[in-house]
Amino acid sequence: MDTAKLELAAQRYREAETALDAARADLQAEAVTFLRNTDERGAQATVVKVTGWTREYIRRMVKSSEEKTA
């Protein structure tokens, strides 16, 4: 691998990491909004199923978002 290929790979990696971070933030925001705005029974289980996150992670995420808005 030459230097140009290495630099390109590093740039693609950084761009992918940035995109992943943005997608994660969007998904977290949507999950929190869904949980706050629904009376649906089993809403947390739905978020677990869709995202693959644990219930504990979701609880911490919601608590953290509440602390940020307080």
Side-chain angles (χ1 to χ4, degrees):
M1 183 180 276
D2 61 29
T3 303
K5 287 182 179 180
L6 177 62
E7 288 173 351
L8 179 60
Q11 178 182 350
R12 288 178 49 224
Y13 178 82
R14 285 189 296 272
E15 290 170 354
E17 224 174 21
T18 299
L20 179 60
D21 290 342
R24 182 182 301 111
D26 288 347
L27 183 55
Q28 289 173 334
E30 289 297 328
V32 169
T33 299
F34 173 75
L35 291 169
R36 285 185 180 160
N37 295 330
T38 188
D39 293 330
E40 177 184 320
R41 184 175 178 173
Q44 193 178 68
T46 299
V47 174
V48 167
K49 182 179 177 183
V50 171
T51 64
W53 295 332
T54 64
R55 288 181 181 269
E56 178 60 29
Y57 178 80
I58 293 167
R59 282 191 288 271
R60 284 186 280 131
M61 184 179 60
V62 170
K63 183 178 179 182
S64 175
S65 71
E66 289 170 352
E67 291 171 354
K68 288 178 184 176
T69 59

